[in-house]
């Protein structure tokens, strides 16, 4: 499975991206990615997950063969179970190419 990550927004407004194979993730994170591909198993967002100025937005796209699922979260609306995965991908992210 392929995982594409994009973090946008924040004070600087610099988009950060990362692309990894799920095998490069920890076992727990790879399991979460597999769960994200299953319909109806996405973690629920916490209450009050609306966006706010200078906060981040996250986009996570998981591709497994011909199946693709994309998730979009505002920073306050990221499900607790997904936060460690986004932090790990964020640590690998680099500025997105202009365009």
């Amino acid at each position: 499975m392929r995982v594409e990550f994009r973090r946008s927004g924040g004070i600087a407004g610099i988009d950060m991206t990362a692309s990894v194979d799920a095998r490069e993730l920890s076992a727990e994170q790879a399991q979460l990615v597999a769960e994200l591909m299953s319909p109806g198993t996405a973690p629920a967002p916490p209450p009050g997950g609306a966006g706010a100025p200078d906060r981040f937005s996250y986009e996570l796209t998981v591709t497994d063969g011909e199946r693709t699922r994309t998730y979009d979260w505002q920073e306050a609306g990221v499900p607790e179970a997904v936060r460690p995965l986004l932090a790990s991908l964020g640590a690998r992210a680099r500025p997105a190419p202009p365009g």
Side-chain angles (χ1 to χ4, degrees), residues 58-69:
Y58 298 93
E59 180 180 289
L60 189 69
T61 301
V62 182
T63 303
D64 186 12
E66 294 183 18
R67 298 182 319 150
T68 299
R69 296 215 41 199

Side-chain angles (χ1 to χ4, degrees), residues 4-18 55-60 73 75 78 86-87 89-96:
E4 305 289 331
F5 166 86
R6 177 177 291 273
R7 184 188 76 196
S8 57
I11 293 172
I14 298 172
D15 285 3
M16 301 292 286
T17 62
R55 306 281 315 256
F56 292 119
S57 296
Y58 298 93
E59 180 180 289
L60 189 69
W73 295 288
E75 186 172 0
V78 174
L86 295 183
L89 294 168
R92 300 168 188 240
R94 300 292 172 252

Side-chain angles (χ1 to χ4, degrees), residues 1-64:
M1 280 185 282
R2 195 89 198 139
V3 181
E4 305 289 331
F5 166 86
R6 177 177 291 273
R7 184 188 76 196
S8 57
I11 293 172
I14 298 172
D15 285 3
M16 301 292 286
T17 62
S19 179
V20 299
D21 188 290
R23 293 177 289 205
E24 298 174 43
L25 301 170
S26 71
E28 296 83 17
Q29 291 171 355
Q31 177 63 35
L32 175 60
V33 168
E35 290 172 10
L36 289 172
M37 285 303 291
S38 301
T41 60
D54 299 331
R55 306 281 315 256
F56 292 119
S57 296
Y58 298 93
E59 180 180 289
L60 189 69
T61 301
V62 182
T63 303
D64 186 12

